[in-house]
Structures are given as structure tokens and as C-alpha cells.
Amino acid sequence: MKNVLSIQSHVVYGFAGNKSATFPMQLLGIDVWALNTVQFSNHTQYGKWTGMVIPQEQIREIVTGLDNIEKLQECDALLSGYLGSAEQVDQILFALEQIKLRNPNALYLCDPVMPHPKKICVVANGVREALIEKAIPVADIMTPNLHELRQLTEFPINTFDDVLKAVNALIAKGVKKVLVKHLGSAGKINDPDTFEIIMATPEGVWHLSRPLYQFNFEPVGVGDLIAGTFLANLLNGKSDVEAFEAMNNEVAGVMKTTFELGSYELQTIAARFEILNPSSNYKAEKVA
């Protein structure tokens, strides 16, 4: 069994952060060690929430505790997502350093959650800058959406060619795999009813499309689901392209179920059989 230390947000109600990623990864056979950066009543896109940022020291304390019982050598990957403060970035890097000391082959997937005013995605001051300065140089995998890709690279991104230039810039900085979630108007197809996603590696760029459901209110936590299931498929021994395709088919099933149930929250539990045995079979196309 593979093990992932997943350091990201927790919501008591709904599905975002660890609540979105943990159960699907467990269904795929991964033991998830969930460590929360914040604990909120619900995700921030409701416009109101209660809860608190977990003290940054807790990450170091928990990681040290795992090391004390000689478990860090069993950690196959670190996954980081929504962070409650810029200081938590340093604690993530401490965790990565300790894990790599015990298991040099461990992967680091950084899902760079950044402020997005239109989505009311509230992120603490300094997180963006800390991720750019400190996470990019050490991340094996990054999974930005289009808005986050613009912030990571500071490139103007309006076309598919712009997307390719930006992801190649991240690859040139040492990131081994970059997934860009939902290309929208910068997509290759550029169809409002089509969801487009790409994966870039030093070997090339792969593009995949599937139906985009028109929700009245777009569910939150899709990026967390994408990052978690992609990592789980990699750890299960799939190639980059196989993991990319498997993740997309699993997420497609969750989105279809969520849309059919008319839910604002991801229906990962109702869609559990779609994660275990997806009904779709979308294939990736190499484009560069």
C-alpha cells in the first residue's frame, strides 16, 4: 500500500481540500495521512464561513511525531493544497525535507491554490509569493488552474499557445509534471460546453477534453479531486499518460453524478463506483 501525507484544508460541511481528495484516494487503494491547514465550517465560496487557521507549528509537530515513530520512510508522496498562511509554506518545505531524508523517492505534488476574487477564493496574504519563490523549485508535480498558471508564471495567457509557453516555463524551472485544470477560453477547442485539461512533462504535452456541465453554481473542490486522483494513479504504477487518462475518467464520473443530483457540493460518495470503475473512457492526445 502507498501512503500520502496530504496537507491542505478541511471543511466540516461539504467537499473541498482534504474532504474532496481523501476518500477518492482511499478508494484507489492509497492510505491518506490527512493533516489540515485550516478547519472551516464550509468552503469560502459560500461567502461566509467560520473556523480558524491551524497554527503553523502543528505541521512541524505532526511531521516530527511521524518521524519519531519511524513512519516517514513509509511516506510515498507529499500533497499540499490550500494553505492558511504564508508561514505554512515553510512548514510544507520542512515536511518535504524530512520525508526526502527518509525516502528520497517520495514525490511532492503542489496544488498551488491562490486568490481568485471572481470565485470568492480567499487565500492569505503572502501565500502566492511564497509558493512562487519556494515551492516551484522543489515540486515534482504542480496542478494549477488557468488563473493560478498566470500567477505562477506572470505570463499573459489568452490562447492555447500561451498556455503551452507557460507550462514549458515551469518545466524549464524543474517541475517534472504540470497539469493545467480547465483551460476555458484559452483552450485548444475553446468550446463553452467542453472541459479541457493538459499535462506537460519533459517528454511533451498531452491534451484531453470531456463534457463540461453547466452548473448554476460551480462545485468547489474539483481541483483537489483532480490532484489527489492523479497522484493516486501515479503511485499505483500507471505511466504519466495512463494516470492522466484514469484521473480524467474518474473525475468525469464524479462531475456527471454531481450534475445529475443538482448539487453544489461534489458527490464523491454517491459517485464512488465511478471512481472505482469509470463509465467513460476519454483518451489523451499528444499535442506538443
Side-chain angles (χ1 to χ4, degrees):
M1 181 181 292
K2 300 293 185 178
N3 306 297
V4 172
L5 177 60
S6 180
I7 307 179
Q8 51 185 321
S9 63
H10 173 79
V11 291
V12 173
Y13 174 80
F15 294 86
N18 272 327
K19 278 286 291 290
S20 175
T22 298
F23 177 60
M25 294 178 75
Q26 290 171 331
L27 283 177
L28 294 172
I30 305 298
D31 189 6
V32 182
W33 306 347
L35 175 51
N36 302 325
T37 55
V38 302
Q39 178 158 283
F40 290 162
S41 55
N42 48 274
H43 64 69
T44 61
Q45 290 182 45
Y46 279 94
K48 55 185 177 181
W49 65 94
T50 58
M52 64 181 294
V53 175
I54 302 301
Q56 58 157 320
E57 295 82 8
Q58 178 167 284
I59 296 175
R60 181 179 291 263
E61 286 289 320
I62 295 297
V63 170
T64 300
L66 293 172
D67 199 21
N68 289 343
I69 60 172
E70 300 182 351
K71 292 300 176 184
L72 286 188
Q73 55 263 45
E74 298 176 18
C75 183
D76 299 288
L78 170 64
L79 167 60
S80 69
Y82 184 98
L83 303 177
S85 68
E87 292 77 17
Q88 287 181 341
V89 176
D90 291 324
Q91 301 304 311
I92 296 288
L93 297 189
F94 169 79
L96 178 64
E97 180 181 79
Q98 298 308 303
I99 292 167
K100 290 279 193 179
L101 281 173
R102 307 305 181 204
N103 179 9
N105 295 320
L107 298 174
Y108 173 36
L109 189 157
C110 174
D111 188 12
V113 181
M114 293 185 176
H116 198 316
K118 290 183 180 179
K119 290 188 174 182
I120 322 177
C121 183
V122 180
V123 178
N125 291 334
V127 168
R128 170 187 174 273
E129 293 77 10
L131 287 171
I132 291 171
E133 177 187 350
K134 299 173 181 178
I136 290 176
V138 295
D140 296 296
I141 308 164
M142 297 196 82
T143 57
N145 58 32
L146 191 64
H147 176 74
E148 291 156 353
L149 183 65
R150 290 189 180 104
Q151 295 191 63
L152 287 173
T153 62
E154 298 183 335
F155 283 16
I157 302 174
N158 300 300
T159 68
F160 188 64
D161 284 342
D162 293 340
V163 173
L164 296 182
K165 290 175 185 175
V167 295
N168 284 325
L170 288 179
I171 295 292
K173 291 182 178 180
V175 184
K176 298 177 183 68
K177 300 174 184 58
V178 180
L179 269 65
V180 184
K181 304 167 292 193
H182 193 16
L183 302 184
S185 60
K188 181 172 179 282
I189 300 172
N190 195 8
D191 176 357
D193 294 320
T194 300
F195 176 91
E196 297 182 68
I197 185 170
I198 63 166
M199 175 186 69
T201 76
E203 285 69 48
V205 179
W206 284 262
H207 171 273
L208 195 148
S209 62
R210 55 177 170 80
L212 178 65
Y213 297 99
Q214 301 299 330
F215 291 89
N216 291 329
F217 297 98
E218 195 70 30
V220 173
V222 181
D224 309 318
L225 176 64
I226 287 172
T229 51
F230 178 66
L231 180 60
N233 280 291
L234 282 177
L235 293 176
N236 283 333
K238 288 182 168 63
S239 69
D240 292 347
V241 175
E242 288 170 342
F244 182 54
E245 291 175 339
M247 172 273 292
N248 275 285
N249 289 313
E250 291 151 7
V251 174
V254 175
M255 299 310 295
K256 181 175 183 289
T257 302
T258 302
F259 181 75
E260 289 173 346
L261 293 175
S263 176
Y264 179 35
E265 295 285 352
L266 286 177
Q267 296 298 300
T268 52
I269 297 172
R272 60 194 180 278
F273 297 113
E274 284 283 352
I275 297 170
L276 287 167
N277 186 26
S279 58
S280 59
N281 188 31
Y282 300 106
K283 293 293 185 181
E285 173 193 9
K286 191 171 185 180
V287 295

